[in-house]
C-alpha cells in the first residue's frame, strides 16, 4: 500500500483517514491495562508498519493541513451563525481562502519566518489541500463524511464476521 492510496488519503472532518480509524478501532478493542492510554502510540506504530515511516516534515505538514481544515470550518460556522443574527446585517463575515489559511499555517504551525521559507510551504499546503479534498472541495462535505463513516462501519462488520472485535 502506498501513501497515494485513496483509502489511506481519504480523511474525515477530524483529519483521520479511513485506515487510521479502522486501525484505531481494532487497537481500542484490544487494549488492556498495560496498553491503556497508548492507543495513539500504537496507531503510529501500525501506520508506520503499513505505509512506511513518516518524517518530521511530513508530520508537520499534516498538522498544518489539519489546522487549515479546522480554521476553514470555524470560518464557515462563524459565517453561518452571523447570518442567523438579524441585527448584524451591516458587516458580512467572510471565510478565509485556503491560500490565506495556508500562509497562516506556514507561520504559526510550520514556523516559517522568511518569505523564502513561507512561499514553498504555502504552495505545498495548497497542493496537499487540493490533492486531498479536490479542486472543488471548498467546505466540509457532510455527504462525504457519511459515506466514509459507512465504509468504516462496513469494514468493522466484515472484521466482526472473522471474529475480530472492533469498537469506534
Amino acid at each position: 500500500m502506498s501513501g497515494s492510496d485513496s483509502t489511506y488519503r481519504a480523511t474525515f472532518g477530524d483529519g483521520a483517514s479511513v485506515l487510521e480509524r479502522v486501525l484505531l478501532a481494532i487497537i481500542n478493542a484490544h487494549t488492556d491495562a498495560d496498553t491503556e492510554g497508548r492507543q495513539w502510540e500504537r496507531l503510529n506504530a501500525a501506520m508506520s508498519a503499513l505505509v512506511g515511516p513518516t518524517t518530521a516534515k511530513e508530520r508537520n505538514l499534516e498538522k498544518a493541513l489539519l489546522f487549515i481544515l479546522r480554521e476553514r470550518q470555524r470560518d464557515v460556522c462563524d459565517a453561518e451563525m452571523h447570518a442567523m443574527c438579524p441585527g448584524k446585517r451591516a458587516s458580512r463575515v467572510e471565510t478565509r481562502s485556503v491560500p490565506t489559511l495556508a500562509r497562516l499555517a506556514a507561520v504559526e504551525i510550520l514556523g516559517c519566518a522568511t518569505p523564502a521559507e513561507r512561499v514553498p510551504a504555502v504552495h505545498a499546503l495548497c497542493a496537499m489541500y487540493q490533492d486531498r479534498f479536490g479542486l472543488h472541495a471548498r467546505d466540509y462535505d457532510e455527504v462525504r463524511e457519511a459515506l466514509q463513516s459507512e465504509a468504516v462501519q462496513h469494514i468493522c462488520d466484515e472484521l466482526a464476521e472473522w471474529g475480530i472485535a472492533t469498537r469506534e
Side-chain angles (χ1 to χ4, degrees), residues 42-65:
R42 294 170 67 202
L43 174 63
N44 289 334
M47 289 297 294
S48 292
L50 287 172
V51 298
T54 57
T55 65
K57 181 180 178 182
E58 290 171 333
R59 282 191 300 275
N60 289 337
L61 284 172
E62 287 295 327
K63 286 179 188 175
L65 183 62

Side-chain angles (χ1 to χ4, degrees), residues 101-155:
L101 291 171
R103 280 190 290 280
L104 185 62
V107 172
E108 290 189 15
I109 306 300
L110 301 177
C112 299
T114 65
E117 296 172 327
R118 203 169 31 249
V119 170
V122 169
H123 286 298
L125 288 169
C126 287
M128 284 175 68
Y129 184 91
Q130 290 175 351
D131 181 49
R132 186 102 22 110
F133 304 106
L135 291 171
H136 304 293
R138 298 269 185 231
D139 298 43
Y140 175 72
D141 186 353
E142 293 176 7
V143 174
R144 184 175 169 174
E145 170 77 52
L147 289 172
Q148 290 174 339
S149 293
E150 184 179 319
V152 169
Q153 185 58 49
H154 179 71
I155 292 169

Side-chain angles (χ1 to χ4, degrees), residues 11-33:
T11 58
F12 294 88
D14 63 358
S17 70
V18 173
L19 179 58
E20 289 170 325
R21 279 193 164 184
V22 170
L23 287 174
L24 193 56
I26 293 168
I27 288 168
N28 284 335
H30 298 283
T31 297
D32 56 23

